[in-house]
Amino acid sequence: MNDNNKIKNVSMTTLGGVGEIGKNMWVLEIGDEMLIIDSGVKFPENDLLGIDLVIPDYEYVIKNKDKINGIVLTHGHLDHIGGLPYLLKEINVPIYGTKLTLGLLEGNLKEHRLLNDTRLKVVHPGKQYQVGNFGVEFLRVNHSIADTCALAIETPLGTIVYASDFKFDQTPIDGEVADFHRLAEIGDSKEGVLALFSDSTNVEREGYTLSEKVVGETVDEILRGARERVIIATFASNIHRVQQIVDAAFKYNRKIAFSGRSMLNNVDIARRLGYLRIPDDMIVDIRDIGDLSDSKVTLLTTGSQGEPYAALTRMARGDHYHINIKEGDTVMISASAIPGNEKLIGETINKLYRRGANVIYEDVSGVHVSGHASQEELKLMLNLVKPKYFVPVHGEYRHLYKHADLAEKVGVPRANIYIADVGDKINFSDEKVSKDYNVQSGDVLIDGLGVGDVGNIVLRDRKLLSEDGIIIVVVTIDKHGNILVGPDIITRGFVYIRESEELIEAATQRVEDALKDCEENNITEWSVLKNTIRNSLNNYIYQKIKRNPMILPVIMEV
């Protein structure tokens, strides 16, 4: 900050990324100035039926958009940049990130037709930048995507270090080790580190996270022994892993093909920006791999999470457009299960085995390493930067609490550790860290092109429809309330009518009797008639088959 002599209020507000995995977003405030750190998405859990993405509630930053100096990004994973197209429709400020991070963001912005109006500023790790009135230094760390940085942000009370996703890889694929020297330098500086915000994802794992090179050794071993096609599913954003797979395929004189939209897009971006090196004559179109000997084919695909419409899942089902699994194929799933995806991945693995594939996955072989720091690396980060205050981030609540315990063992006083909830505005002073108040926050649901138009009532209806189906009762009446046509019953997801004719006929009779009572009592108000239809069916249906379908009366007047 420019005016270091005048002490101003320093606060950090979380709009996502604590108590959950994904949707990472923080807002740093110094006086009347604001800086946004990341803006990601979260993928929907099973109970969010039909929802595509979950983004933070942006109301707080929209309300204060005149105070925002800019947006700084740590890396290019969607849980850190995926929400930006929705945020940028409301605010227009410069965005700072490394070359690959912004390259991946550009693809998202193009889809939303925002690229031409967005100010993207490329930064280089190890350098400091002035983002409006904020001094921000980008510090190289290691992660499962290239060009990841921690942030060191100047404040009047000391430096804030934000390291939401990192590990310390001593043998990184690109040779770029984390900037230990600069982290230690900041920790030992006269100003000191006011607060550390640190990745909690792997806090339950003892020791150190393995180097990405371990996966390269496993891939090399698999390709050396394979005599047929090798199909590898991994995260499309893990460019270093893609490079290792390419290198192994080249070593054993294999061609490589790519499948899956995100894989094709990310490979194209990474090659164009110089992060991925693949000889042109080594790449083949997936439609042409049938012309090659199976021993010459390596296919890199999406679908490591068992997503129903991802490329690998389609291959396992046998309905992929260009390639399906056959006996003798070696299939390697080089990823760990995102919480909630275990069942989908298990189903895909079972289908691959049924088709005769040799399946290699995390539970039976070392084909994946995490991109997040384990306990010893988390301790090292704490000891390097020596923060006065500590805020664990990027994890579910059990991760945050365990990370708080770890920090206390390293020497951070418990009173100086803050475990945040989404919406907390955290105030820092020389004396203490404390909660100021809650800002408006929460989940905004994306369904197709709709943003925030699906809420609890719609989700409740979708859940009901998915469990017990729907009964539609159609009745035509005249202006005096006399029944002219019907009632007719239509069902979806309830019973198969041809096999339940007796039930449907009896239900129709119940409705007809109830409506005749209304007719005899001169009841013509539509709301009463609809409730009569619902009540006549609800009890009867539950009594007969113990189900509670949604009942939707449709009354037409002629």
Side-chain angles (χ1 to χ4, degrees), residues 102-320:
L102 295 185
L104 295 171
L105 176 61
E106 282 182 7
N108 285 347
L109 296 178
K110 279 180 184 176
E111 289 183 12
H112 290 260
R113 299 178 181 178
L114 293 169
L115 183 58
N116 292 337
D117 298 322
T118 304
R119 291 170 283 169
L120 301 177
K121 310 286 186 180
V122 176
V123 302
H124 301 280
K127 293 189 176 182
Q128 187 179 59
Y129 296 84
Q130 201 64 34
V131 182
N133 289 317
F134 291 85
V136 183
E137 186 173 353
F138 290 78
L139 306 170
R140 186 179 298 283
V141 291
N142 307 116
H143 187 41
S144 55
I145 186 171
D147 258 8
T148 298
C149 290
L151 306 174
I153 308 171
E154 295 177 352
T155 82
L157 300 177
T159 302
I160 285 179
V161 175
Y162 181 82
S164 72
D165 288 45
F166 79 94
K167 72 176 186 180
F168 291 134
D169 192 336
Q170 306 287 1
T171 55
I173 303 307
D174 57 4
E176 298 284 0
V177 296
D179 198 344
F180 295 101
H181 174 74
R182 184 58 183 146
L183 286 166
E185 202 170 57
I186 293 170
D188 289 331
S189 65
K190 179 182 176 182
E191 297 79 10
V193 171
L194 174 65
L196 169 64
F197 293 73
S198 182
D199 184 355
S200 306
T201 313
N202 275 354
V203 70
E204 295 175 316
R205 294 189 184 182
E206 296 180 352
Y208 297 86
T209 300
L210 292 174
S211 171
E212 180 65 28
K213 275 199 172 173
V214 171
V215 179
E217 294 165 2
T218 304
V219 171
D220 187 280
E221 183 180 339
I222 290 168
L223 288 177
R224 183 172 66 245
R227 296 292 174 264
E228 304 292 336
R229 301 186 304 185
V230 175
I231 299 163
I232 302 175
T234 192
F235 294 116
S237 61
N238 197 333
I239 302 303
H240 289 155
R241 190 161 302 173
V242 172
Q243 185 66 66
Q244 292 190 98
I245 293 166
V246 168
D247 292 345
F250 182 82
K251 179 178 178 181
Y252 295 108
N253 197 27
R254 285 174 171 264
K255 301 291 186 182
I256 193 158
F258 301 98
S259 181
R261 182 184 174 205
S262 60
M263 183 67 72
L264 290 164
N265 288 343
N266 286 6
V267 166
D268 177 64
I269 292 166
R271 290 187 76 205
R272 177 165 47 84
L273 296 177
Y275 290 87
L276 193 55
R277 300 173 305 281
I278 312 174
D280 290 338
D281 60 359
M282 186 183 173
I283 300 174
V284 295
D285 191 289
I286 190 172
R287 292 169 291 190
D288 299 328
I289 60 177
D291 299 334
L292 300 173
S293 166
D294 286 350
S295 63
K296 300 295 183 185
V297 174
T298 300
L299 174 63
L300 196 50
T301 181
T302 56
S304 64
Q305 297 302 301
E307 305 96 318
Y309 297 105
L312 181 65
T313 313
R314 287 180 174 274
M315 294 177 208
R317 284 199 307 259
D319 61 6
H320 191 277

Side-chain angles (χ1 to χ4, degrees), residues 21-90:
I21 302 294
K23 198 162 63 72
N24 299 280
M25 183 173 181
W26 287 81
V27 182
L28 171 61
E29 295 179 64
I30 303 178
D32 289 329
E33 309 282 348
M34 299 175 73
L35 178 71
I36 295 174
I37 304 171
D38 290 339
S39 181
V41 298
K42 181 170 68 173
F43 294 99
E45 296 180 3
N46 293 335
D47 59 338
L48 296 178
L49 300 173
I51 298 303
D52 300 316
L53 294 170
V54 183
I55 62 173
D57 186 332
Y58 297 133
E59 182 61 29
Y60 181 64
V61 292
I62 293 171
K63 186 172 63 176
N64 293 284
K65 62 183 179 181
D66 293 337
K67 300 178 181 179
I68 300 169
N69 285 231
I71 300 171
V72 289
L73 304 177
T74 56
H75 64 287
H77 277 151
L78 287 175
D79 62 331
H80 291 259
I81 68 169
L84 285 169
Y86 304 97
L87 177 60
L88 292 174
K89 290 173 183 175
E90 306 294 338

